[in-house]
Amino acid sequence: MTTPNLPANTRRGRLRTLICAGTIAATLPYLTLKAAWVAGSSIGVHGDGMHSGAMIGANLATLGMDAIAAALALALARPWGRRIPGWLLILPMWVATGLLAPIALVVPVAAVVGALTDGFSSSGNPGQDFIDGWVYALVYGGFGLQALGLVAGFVLHARERWAGVFTLRLRDLPTGPAAGARRLIAAGVAAFGLIPVGIQLSWAFGSHALRPGDTRTASQSLIVDSGYALIILAGLIAMLAVTRQRQDGRPALRWLITAWVGTGTAFGWGFFWLITSSLSTPLNKGDDMRGLALVGGFQTLAGAVLATVLALMVVQAAAAPAGQGASEDGGDRSGMIPA
């Protein structure tokens, strides 16, 4: 006697539940550590550096960020998540993707290379002797699993809620009077964005310009800095591609995804570096952080502007009739508007 196949909706529901449970489970080690440090524990650390006001504030902030990731995973899996305004899901998901993508793509490579050469701390941080190595492995392993879970959950959610975006072709992207302005903005900001990319690539190949106190190993600098820089560079190139006016029938999705990840990485890590470089903690040991702050500021601005252009283009394209380039007053495209 055979068991009848489950309905597609039931299978998708179970898959969402499984992804949600796995993603939330992946946040627990980080949340537990952060809560313990805020409560005064010294597990996994040396000295009393976690007791300083700056570190308590930083731990509370990052604990909150990971709690948001868990809440986001739940919203993407449950039916009530579809009633949440689109921007309230898309904005934190964009930031989360930007923060987690380099960890998922770059850190494993750096860990393997470091293990075969001169050692590696996932943070690439001069204060790595302040925190035990197992903490980095536990935390960054959890981040990698969170990245996979959030992306999978978001794709399942988005394919049902905004199906029209997944069928866009390059020719469907907006045309009209504003297209020239968008191309000009994208080109100008992309050129501006090459400044932090160039600085990071110089660090990757051994330069200490603007970062004289950098004590990372050669493999850390090469893999981490070049990895982050190349992800952002790919995003800049993708933005130039999607703002270019042409009659091209190729799918736009891969360009949109690349732009999403690249701009999110620029903004997320840029803002993180901008904030952390202003704090004096055991993790930076009072090093000169002005170079990291400069790179962070450039990336934050570039990522925010380009993502705004990208969002406006996708909303306008999704509102246009299928198969037609969006005009400035385009009609509805299957009602699948990210709102």
Side-chain angles (χ1 to χ4, degrees), residues 19 80 87-89 121 134 164 166 177 187 204 207 250 255 259 291 295-296 299 321 329:
I19 292 171
W80 52 262
W87 68 267
L88 200 54
L89 288 177
S121 162
W134 66 265
F166 288 79
S207 170
R250 290 179 297 171
W255 294 106
V295 168
Q299 288 187 183
D329 57 351

Side-chain angles (χ1 to χ4, degrees), residues 186-202:
V189 177
F192 175 79
L194 289 176
I195 297 174
V197 168
I199 294 172
Q200 281 195 282
L201 288 176
S202 74

Side-chain angles (χ1 to χ4, degrees), residues 206-274:
S207 170
H208 284 220
L210 301 176
R211 202 172 179 182
D214 189 5
T215 60
R216 295 174 302 166
T217 64
S219 65
Q220 285 177 320
S221 298
L222 178 61
I223 303 298
V224 174
D225 284 322
S226 64
Y228 280 58
L230 291 175
I231 290 173
I232 295 171
L233 180 60
L236 299 180
I237 294 172
M239 282 301 303
L240 294 178
V242 298
T243 54
R244 179 183 174 188
Q245 190 170 359
R246 55 181 153 184
Q247 294 300 314
D248 193 325
R250 290 179 297 171
L253 188 60
R254 62 181 178 180
W255 294 106
L256 297 176
I257 291 173
T258 304
W260 167 285
V261 174
T263 58
T265 297
F267 178 85
W269 281 100
F271 190 69
F272 179 78
W273 290 332
L274 192 60

Side-chain angles (χ1 to χ4, degrees), residues 58-334:
N59 285 331
L60 282 171
T62 49
L63 186 152
M65 290 170 62
D66 217 39
I68 291 173
L72 185 58
L74 188 61
L76 293 173
R78 307 309 303 161
W80 52 262
R82 291 178 60 87
R83 297 193 294 272
I84 296 175
W87 68 267
L88 200 54
L89 288 177
I90 290 172
L91 182 59
M93 188 65 207
W94 171 66
V95 176
T97 303
L99 289 171
L100 294 173
I103 293 175
L105 298 173
V106 176
V107 168
V109 177
V112 171
V113 172
L116 297 175
T117 55
D118 46 19
F120 177 74
S121 162
S122 297
S123 67
N125 205 301
Q128 59 186 297
D129 56 346
F130 169 60
I131 299 179
D132 289 337
W134 66 265
V135 174
Y136 290 114
L138 183 69
V139 167
Y140 281 84
F143 283 162
L145 293 175
Q146 287 178 52
L148 295 175
L150 284 174
V151 168
F154 184 69
V155 168
L156 289 173
H157 182 95
R159 285 191 71 89
E160 290 190 357
R161 188 168 180 178
W162 304 302
V165 174
F166 288 79
T167 62
L168 287 174
R169 297 187 177 275
L170 290 173
R171 64 169 173 251
D172 298 325
L173 296 176
T175 58
R182 281 190 292 265
R183 287 196 301 274
L184 184 61
I185 292 171
V189 177
F192 175 79
L194 289 176
I195 297 174
V197 168
I199 294 172
Q200 281 195 282
L201 288 176
S202 74
W203 291 343
F205 290 96
S207 170
H208 284 220
L210 301 176
R211 202 172 179 182
D214 189 5
T215 60
R216 295 174 302 166
T217 64
S219 65
Q220 285 177 320
S221 298
L222 178 61
I223 303 298
V224 174
D225 284 322
S226 64
Y228 280 58
L230 291 175
I231 290 173
I232 295 171
L233 180 60
L236 299 180
I237 294 172
M239 282 301 303
L240 294 178
V242 298
T243 54
R244 179 183 174 188
Q245 190 170 359
R246 55 181 153 184
Q247 294 300 314
D248 193 325
R250 290 179 297 171
L253 188 60
R254 62 181 178 180
W255 294 106
L256 297 176
I257 291 173
T258 304
W260 167 285
V261 174
T263 58
T265 297
F267 178 85
W269 281 100
F271 190 69
F272 179 78
W273 290 332
L274 192 60
I275 297 299
T276 56
S277 62
S278 67
L279 301 175
S280 178
T281 72
L283 293 175
N284 57 39
K285 292 185 174 180
D287 287 336
D288 186 349
M289 304 294 285
R290 287 175 294 181
L292 199 61
L294 180 66
V295 168
F298 283 166
Q299 288 187 183
T300 302
L301 181 59
V305 173
L306 291 177
T308 301
V309 172
L310 180 66
L312 293 174
M313 289 183 65
V314 171
V315 169
Q316 188 176 328
Q324 298 180 22
S327 63
E328 299 307 312
D329 57 351
D332 185 20
R333 182 185 174 87
S334 304

